[in-house]
Amino acid sequence: MKLKSKVALITGGGSGLGREIALAFAREGCAIGVNDIRPETAEAVAQEVRALGVDATALPCDVADSRAVMKMFAKHMGDLQALDVLVNNAGIAFVEEHVKRNIEAMIQEIMTAGRTTRSAEATKTMEDGHWRRTLAIHLDGTFYCTREALKIMEFNGWGAIINMASIAGLTGIAAAPDYSAAKAGIIGFTKSVAREVIGRGIRVNAIAPGYIDTPLLDPLPDLMKQMVVAQTPAGRLGTPAEVAATAVFLASDDSSYFVGQVLSPNGGICI
Ligand code: NAP
């Protein structure tokens, strides 16, 4: 077992990639603090983890709320008494209806004319609240959780922090300037903190997945999903298990010389 007797806290652990990472870590012997904004999903995954024979606690909280994050870490330490691995994974990808319609029209035009003169029109119509919420969950949440985790990990002299970025942060996605900015910010944050804390025995790395089959993609127009698959050399969406395997690698000593790196399981859509 690669994570035997370790303890992890995974944000957004109630669904998709976070849930799969929680179960993959548990199979490697790791106890899990399962955060999610919805208490019922955090508890459901905590129960799935316990069924695999390791300890788990549900840690419902909004990672965009710094006070709530501090309380969450206190509860995690009270319940599980240790923290070796933090996975900053919680996230949203909100696409407004008019942007979805624009994307569909663009794809239709590409399919009939081979090119498009249209635009997703996402940036000039985006409300402040939409922009701020995306940045708050992804970027602020990653910072708040990392800040708390470092206090514990520095004391122990060992730790692994894994930040969930995206290919959106590497290449940009035309219809998602907020999401792309947040994910690029997470990559910059990863590299900076990695340099800061490696001397204390803490490795910080990021995963930048391509398009993975989780509920996050549900709001995307079907045409866009078909287009994504067509543009992906592997010819399919990724599976949560393929990302979870990357997280197990980055959490374990197998990746002991990986510092500030961005690993991108993406089927070749971004090379
Ligand atoms: P998902 O299935 O929607 O899971 C995300 C989880 O995070 C959900 O349970 C969500 O709750 C929770 N969450 C949202 N806001 C939160 C908050 N403020 N505090 C705590 N939890 C919160 O999506 P996923 O695909 O697994 O995404 C996980 C991460 O991977 C995200 O950071 C995402 O940006 C990233 N990612 C995903 C893909 C992909 O193609 N799926 C690609 C690249 C990167 P609700 O369901 O209630 O919102």
Side-chain angles (χ1 to χ4, degrees):
M1 285 190 181
K2 291 182 188 293
L3 301 174
K4 192 164 171 47
S5 305
K6 299 278 191 217
V7 182
L9 192 163
I10 301 172
T11 71
S15 174
L17 302 184
R19 171 180 171 274
E20 197 70 31
I21 292 168
L23 298 178
F25 280 17
R27 282 183 215 106
E28 298 294 340
C30 186
I32 315 283
V34 184
N35 158 265
D36 209 90
I37 197 160
R38 283 180 287 146
E40 65 279 11
T41 55
E43 183 51 48
V45 173
Q47 280 180 20
E48 286 187 272
V49 167
R50 284 183 212 113
L52 293 170
V54 290
D55 209 355
T57 188
L59 302 167
C61 113
D62 178 352
V63 296
D65 177 341
S66 69
R67 282 184 167 278
V69 166
M70 280 181 208
K71 286 186 191 158
M72 172 175 79
F73 274 78
K75 178 166 170 31
H76 172 96
M77 290 304 287
D79 290 351
L80 298 178
Q81 281 90 46
L83 180 68
D84 304 294
V85 182
L86 168 67
V87 184
N88 284 308
N89 165 80
I92 56 166
F94 181 64
V95 185
E96 310 216 34
E97 285 307 316
H98 73 276
V99 174
K100 283 185 206 168
R101 286 196 295 277
N102 291 339
I103 294 168
E104 281 176 318
M106 288 167 72
I107 295 172
Q108 292 283 11
E109 204 170 74
I110 291 168
M111 282 162 51
T112 50
R115 59 189 289 272
T116 183
T117 51
R118 294 168 185 265
S119 151
E121 303 288 357
T123 305
K124 69 185 182 192
T125 58
M126 187 171 291
E127 305 270 348
D128 293 3
H130 177 160
W131 172 266
R132 296 233 163 274
R133 186 65 181 149
T134 305
L135 271 285
I137 294 173
H138 291 274
L139 196 49
D140 297 0
T142 296
F143 162 59
Y144 296 149
C145 291
T146 300
R147 182 169 59 183
E148 296 312 304
L150 289 179
K151 294 171 191 168
I152 303 162
M153 291 174 176
E154 284 197 350
F155 185 76
N156 295 340
W158 195 96
I161 298 178
I162 301 165
N163 297 325
M164 198 58 76
S166 162
I167 56 166
L170 296 172
T171 69
I173 292 180
D178 53 330
Y179 186 83
S180 302
K183 292 306 195 185
I186 286 172
I187 291 170
F189 180 74
T190 299
K191 293 180 179 183
S192 171
V193 181
R195 289 180 186 276
E196 181 188 345
V197 301
I198 186 60
R200 309 270 164 93
I202 304 164
R203 291 182 305 102
V204 186
N205 291 287
I207 304 176
Y211 291 85
I212 312 297
D213 193 7
T214 74
L216 193 86
L217 299 192
D218 288 349
L220 295 186
D222 281 343
L223 262 183
M224 185 173 168
K225 284 190 211 162
Q226 288 167 23
M227 191 78 153
V228 163
V229 169
Q231 288 176 338
T232 302
R236 62 174 177 84
L237 299 177
T239 66
E242 289 170 320
V243 179
T246 313
V248 170
F249 172 70
L250 288 177
S252 74
D253 284 331
D254 285 351
S255 60
S256 53
Y257 206 48
F258 281 71
V259 177
Q261 299 303 304
V262 183
L263 302 191
S264 185
N266 67 44
I269 198 169
C270 167
I271 295 178

